[in-house]
Amino acid sequence: MTETMLERRARLMGPNVPTFYRTPVHIVKGQGVWLWDTSGKRYLDCYNNVPHVGHCHPRVVQAIAAQAAELNTHTRYLHDLVLDYIERLTGKLGHGLSQAIMVCTGSEANDIALRMAQAVTGNTGIIATDNTYHGNTSAVSQLSSRRPPIGGRAPNVRLVPAPDNLRPVGGSLAGQAQAFADNVARAIVELEAAGFGFSGMMLCPAFANEGLPSVPKGFLDPTVQVVRAAGGVMIADEVQPGFGRMGSDFWGHEALGFAPDIVTVGKPMANGHPVAAVLARPDVMAAFRNAFGYFNTFGGNPVSAAACLEVLQVIEDEGLQHNAAVVSAHVMARMQALRHPLLADVRGNGMFFGAEFVLDDAMTPATDFVADLVEALVTRGFILNRIGRAQNTLKIRPPLPFSIENADSLMDAIEAVLAEAPVPA
Amino acid sequence: MTETMLERRARLMGPNVPTFYRTPVHIVKGQGVWLWDTSGKRYLDCYNNVPHVGHCHPRVVQAIAAQAAELNTHTRYLHDLVLDYIERLTGKLGHGLSQAIMVCTGSEANDIALRMAQAVTGNTGIIATDNTYHGNTSAVSQLSSRRPPIGGRAPNVRLVPAPDNLRPVGGSLAGQAQAFADNVARAIVELEAAGFGFSGMMLCPAFANEGLPSVPKGFLDPTVQVVRAAGGVMIADEVQPGFGRMGSDFWGHEALGFAPDIVTVGKPMANGHPVAAVLARPDVMAAFRNAFGYFNTFGGNPVSAAACLEVLQVIEDEGLQHNAAVVSAHVMARMQALRHPLLADVRGNGMFFGAEFVLDDAMTPATDFVADLVEALVTRGFILNRIGRAQNTLKIRPPLPFSIENADSLMDAIEAVLAEAPVPA
């Protein structure tokens, strides 16, 4: 049956359509941190950040259903909900980021952010890390090192080496922050020499796709100084870290301790309803809005706004940011107690964890080994995946209601699978 | 109150955020072809194409609510609904267009279509009309003449004069189709000479944003011949004409009688839920999929697919394409009976109508006059707007359940407003 479905996908979607796992799961139901497949098998969801407050949260479902029955139209007519939401969301941000454009996907948000940086500075040179993903539009895919854009990398884009716990930029962990900033400074010089000028730097404050390196608070200080001195803007892509996942803070940039000029948000903000946004200071927003008459048909419609408002309220009412902090500490304690000859590093940032496996002292990635671990865990009913440059880091990023009990059952399973895993010769 | 709300919008959204009408309406409820504002005033919706099967259609609302309560996750797990939908949707298309990528907005769909053309041909030169809108991403805004892109028009883009009933390309209506094709041929030569090569042409088969010129079936034949001879692909942006609006046909390209290589769809396909798609032949799809590992987090999720499936079923069950044909003929008869010194042309294409007003025999657009008409009609409870290069054409594009009775009340109102309208000196 599964094979037939894969053939049907290939027939209707074409080749090279991503699936997870060697035998992709066929999920039909979700509730809270749980998923069920067609056979009735239950999985603990240790991976999905889109169902941020839990799969099919009844309050979010109800908000969507009620507003969809009342009105769903575009923002060229006036409506309260989109304004109520922007007011509440910007209320969660400092640094004068008081305005928003509502869109439908993180890709659309980052596509706008790039043009905001261009509108503010008059330049097109842009910098990102060399192991990241910021979306899939023509423009944003230029910054996504893991999926090279069609037609090749544009000359106004520079990718600098991403921070790394085991292979630090510049060769030492102590010097990594400065080495990272030095590379940014070099890239700026190159962009200016090539005639593009410098518009800014876009990064995920949790370096999530980079492999979730555990960089210290203040890590970006030298980089921000370099970017500002060159007249560029800092764009924080909060699609993964935002909305309380960090536990300690509501935003990744707060946890890292820097002030972005532009923040983009997406995946978790409406628990799966297609919504995203760009948040900016009024001066940055005005530069973009006055240079381009932006309008998004679905962006900020009443149903999206209702879903977004309910997600914010549920995060507060259910104390999910606090839960992320508490469960994070518990998972980290158990991760640090893991023992395996190939386990090189465990790290976590709120409700987001990585366990990196290498084959030898040269830090050769144990990519196949981790792929096998993931398959073994899925078979046991745990949905998770891999991350990092060589996909040799176990990636754990559950919905925020993930409990201590859920964490213990996951960690028990990881211990059991590691105990059984054959160590490569 | 309205003024306070506009101030609040400016504070939270920034400057230059589009609204409709001099005194924007504050809509709070919708049902079928009707909208209500905060005061309880009822409006007949003669404009919105997104609520395709009627505002808040109970079956679509129910489909969204039921699936949102069951499961909403991404397509890297297997799920039937997205496949069921692609199978049904591609079943509505000929020309071997049997595969789809599901995304969230028409802009995302067109952004992919441009890259598909590039992947198929290896070239980047692209042609559109000079009075159109295909979306708002960095790449797609390059084709949108009405909102010049930030940083200026890219050199790989050529815009050719759009067809026009009153000011035909090449000077005569009879020669317009060939003159249009000749301009495309010239643009291809320019793109090839400039080193970009030619990847294809993107256009709306109803020329909706161009002002809805009533071009005859076969109008594009000479153009398609030129495009194919140069190795380019034809991209039909069906965001406005698709899904039965043309009445005579399910798609705009069918009504116009040409075979596209790529079709993009959006706004009406899920009645307001943020969904869009790119449809293509397997060879075109494979060229893109194999060149770029495309994945869209929200695209094709079970809730989107359920909403899309229900919209298709409602179109069939309620005979909405047939209704579009019947009501279209009735509206056109009444439009042709309109008499006013400034009325220069009436035209319609299924459930989409334009009435163009000019000041003189030189066809000087009566832009302000039409703006006043729109305001007078909104005041009387009719939601519509303007279209065309100079925004001097009344734009009527209601949800498909728009009835003969609805049409008569609209046409009575237009007659009354025209009778009262002062004719500019």
Coordinates of all heavy atoms in Angstrom, one line a residue, chain B residues 126-160:
Chain B
I126 N 12.3 36.5 -20.1 CA 10.9 36.2 -19.9 C 10.1 37.4 -20.4 O 10.6 38.5 -20.3 CB 10.7 35.9 -18.4 CG1 9.2 35.5 -18.1 CG2 11.1 37.0 -17.5 CD1 8.8 34.1 -18.4
I127 N 8.9 37.1 -20.9 CA 8.1 38.2 -21.5 C 6.7 38.2 -20.8 O 6.1 37.1 -20.5 CB 7.9 38.0 -23.0 CG1 9.3 38.0 -23.7 CG2 6.9 39.0 -23.6 CD1 9.2 37.7 -25.2
A128 N 6.2 39.4 -20.5 CA 4.8 39.5 -20.0 C 4.2 40.7 -20.7 O 4.9 41.4 -21.5 CB 4.8 39.7 -18.5
T129 N 3.0 41.1 -20.4 CA 2.4 42.3 -21.0 C 2.8 43.5 -20.1 O 3.3 43.4 -19.0 CB 0.9 42.2 -21.1 OG1 0.3 42.4 -19.8 CG2 0.4 40.9 -21.7
D130 N 2.6 44.7 -20.7 CA 3.0 45.9 -20.0 C 2.0 46.5 -19.1 O 2.2 47.6 -18.6 CB 3.5 46.9 -21.0 CG 2.3 47.5 -21.8 OD1 1.2 46.9 -21.7 OD2 2.5 48.5 -22.5
N131 N 0.9 45.8 -18.8 CA -0.1 46.3 -17.9 C -0.7 45.1 -17.2 O -1.8 44.8 -17.4 CB -1.1 47.1 -18.6 CG -2.1 47.8 -17.6 OD1 -1.7 48.2 -16.5 ND2 -3.4 47.8 -18.0
T132 N 0.1 44.5 -16.3 CA -0.4 43.3 -15.6 C 0.1 43.2 -14.2 O 0.9 44.1 -13.7 CB 0.1 42.1 -16.5 OG1 -0.7 41.0 -16.0 CG2 1.6 41.8 -16.3
Y133 N -0.3 42.1 -13.5 CA 0.2 41.9 -12.2 C 0.2 40.3 -12.1 O -0.8 39.7 -12.3 CB -0.8 42.5 -11.2 CG -0.5 42.1 -9.7 CD1 0.7 42.6 -9.1 CD2 -1.2 41.2 -9.0 CE1 1.0 42.3 -7.8 CE2 -0.9 40.8 -7.7 CZ 0.2 41.4 -7.1 OH 0.6 41.0 -5.9
H134 N 1.4 39.8 -11.7 CA 1.5 38.4 -11.5 C 1.9 38.0 -10.1 O 2.2 36.8 -9.9 CB 2.4 37.7 -12.6 CG 1.9 37.8 -14.0 ND1 0.8 37.0 -14.4 CD2 2.3 38.4 -15.1 CE1 0.6 37.2 -15.7 NE2 1.4 38.1 -16.1
G135 N 2.0 39.0 -9.2 CA 2.4 38.6 -7.9 C 3.4 39.5 -7.3 O 3.8 40.5 -7.9
N136 N 3.8 39.2 -6.1 CA 4.6 40.2 -5.3 C 5.9 39.6 -4.7 O 6.5 40.3 -3.9 CB 3.7 40.6 -4.1 CG 3.2 39.5 -3.3 OD1 3.9 38.5 -3.1 ND2 2.0 39.6 -2.7
T137 N 6.4 38.5 -5.1 CA 7.8 38.1 -4.7 C 8.8 38.9 -5.5 O 8.4 39.6 -6.5 CB 8.1 36.6 -5.0 OG1 8.1 36.4 -6.4 CG2 7.0 35.7 -4.3
S138 N 10.0 38.9 -5.1 CA 11.1 39.7 -5.8 C 11.1 39.3 -7.2 O 11.1 40.2 -8.1 CB 12.4 39.3 -5.2 OG 12.5 39.7 -3.8
A139 N 11.0 38.0 -7.6 CA 11.1 37.6 -8.9 C 9.9 38.0 -9.7 O 9.9 38.5 -10.8 CB 11.4 36.1 -9.0
V140 N 8.7 37.7 -9.2 CA 7.5 37.9 -9.9 C 7.1 39.3 -10.1 O 6.5 39.7 -11.0 CB 6.3 37.0 -9.3 CG1 5.0 37.3 -10.0 CG2 6.7 35.6 -9.3
S141 N 7.5 40.1 -9.1 CA 7.2 41.6 -9.2 C 7.9 42.2 -10.4 O 7.5 43.3 -10.8 CB 7.5 42.3 -7.9 OG 8.9 42.4 -7.7
Q142 N 8.9 41.5 -10.9 CA 9.6 42.0 -12.1 C 8.6 42.0 -13.3 O 8.8 42.7 -14.2 CB 10.8 41.1 -12.4 CG 12.0 41.3 -11.5 CD 12.6 42.7 -11.7 OE1 12.5 43.3 -12.8 NE2 13.4 43.1 -10.7
L143 N 7.6 41.2 -13.2 CA 6.7 41.1 -14.4 C 5.4 42.0 -14.1 O 4.5 42.0 -15.0 CB 6.2 39.7 -14.5 CG 7.2 38.6 -14.8 CD1 6.5 37.3 -15.2 CD2 8.2 39.0 -15.8
S144 N 5.4 42.6 -13.0 CA 4.2 43.4 -12.6 C 4.4 44.8 -12.9 O 5.0 45.5 -12.2 CB 3.8 43.1 -11.2 OG 3.5 41.8 -11.0
S145 N 3.9 45.2 -14.1 CA 4.1 46.6 -14.6 C 3.5 47.6 -13.7 O 4.0 48.8 -13.6 CB 3.6 46.7 -16.0 OG 2.3 46.2 -16.0
R146 N 2.4 47.3 -13.0 CA 1.7 48.3 -12.2 C 2.4 48.6 -10.9 O 2.0 49.5 -10.2 CB 0.3 47.8 -12.0 CG -0.4 47.8 -13.4 CD -1.7 47.1 -13.4 NE -2.7 47.7 -12.4 CZ -3.8 47.2 -12.0 NH1 -4.1 46.0 -12.4 NH2 -4.6 47.8 -11.2
R147 N 3.3 47.7 -10.5 CA 4.0 48.0 -9.2 C 5.5 47.7 -9.5 O 6.0 46.6 -9.3 CB 3.6 47.0 -8.1 CG 2.1 47.2 -7.8 CD 1.7 46.1 -6.8 NE 0.2 46.2 -6.6 CZ -0.5 45.5 -5.8 NH1 0.1 44.5 -5.1 NH2 -1.8 45.6 -5.6
P148 N 6.2 48.7 -10.0 CA 7.6 48.5 -10.4 C 8.4 47.9 -9.3 O 8.2 48.3 -8.1 CB 8.1 49.9 -10.8 CG 6.8 50.7 -11.1 CD 5.8 50.1 -10.2
P149 N 9.2 47.0 -9.6 CA 10.0 46.3 -8.5 C 11.0 47.2 -7.9 O 11.5 48.2 -8.5 CB 10.7 45.2 -9.3 CG 10.8 45.6 -10.7 CD 9.5 46.4 -10.9
I150 N 11.4 46.9 -6.6 CA 12.4 47.7 -6.0 C 13.7 47.4 -6.7 O 14.0 46.3 -7.0 CB 12.5 47.2 -4.5 CG1 11.3 47.8 -3.7 CG2 13.8 47.7 -3.8 CD1 11.2 47.4 -2.3
G151 N 14.5 48.5 -6.9 CA 15.7 48.3 -7.6 C 15.6 48.4 -9.2 O 16.6 48.3 -9.9
G152 N 14.4 48.5 -9.6 CA 14.2 48.7 -11.1 C 14.0 47.4 -11.8 O 14.2 46.3 -11.2
R153 N 13.5 47.5 -13.0 CA 13.2 46.3 -13.9 C 14.5 45.6 -14.2 O 15.5 46.2 -14.6 CB 12.5 46.8 -15.1 CG 11.9 45.7 -16.0 CD 10.5 45.2 -15.5 NE 9.6 46.4 -15.3 CZ 8.5 46.3 -14.6 NH1 8.1 45.2 -14.0 NH2 7.8 47.4 -14.4
A154 N 14.5 44.2 -14.0 CA 15.7 43.4 -14.4 C 15.8 43.3 -15.9 O 14.8 43.4 -16.6 CB 15.5 42.0 -13.8
P155 N 17.0 43.2 -16.4 CA 17.3 43.3 -17.8 C 16.8 42.0 -18.6 O 16.7 42.1 -19.8 CB 18.8 43.5 -18.0 CG 19.3 42.9 -16.7 CD 18.3 43.2 -15.6
N156 N 16.5 41.0 -17.9 CA 16.0 39.7 -18.5 C 14.5 39.7 -18.7 O 13.9 38.7 -19.1 CB 16.4 38.5 -17.7 CG 15.7 38.4 -16.4 OD1 15.7 39.4 -15.7 ND2 15.3 37.3 -16.0
V157 N 13.8 40.9 -18.4 CA 12.4 40.9 -18.5 C 12.0 41.9 -19.6 O 12.6 43.0 -19.7 CB 11.8 41.5 -17.2 CG1 10.3 41.6 -17.3 CG2 12.1 40.5 -16.0
R158 N 11.1 41.5 -20.5 CA 10.5 42.4 -21.5 C 9.0 42.4 -21.4 O 8.4 41.4 -21.3 CB 10.9 41.9 -22.9 CG 12.3 42.1 -23.3 CD 12.7 43.5 -23.5 NE 14.2 43.6 -23.9 CZ 15.2 43.4 -23.1 NH1 15.0 43.0 -21.9 NH2 16.4 43.6 -23.6
L159 N 8.5 43.6 -21.4 CA 7.0 43.8 -21.3 C 6.5 44.3 -22.7 O 7.0 45.3 -23.2 CB 6.7 44.8 -20.2 CG 7.3 44.5 -18.8 CD1 6.8 45.5 -17.8 CD2 6.8 43.1 -18.3
V160 N 5.5 43.6 -23.2 CA 5.0 44.0 -24.5 C 3.6 44.6 -24.3 O 2.9 44.3 -23.4 CB 4.9 42.7 -25.5 CG1 6.2 42.1 -25.8 CG2 3.9 41.7 -24.9

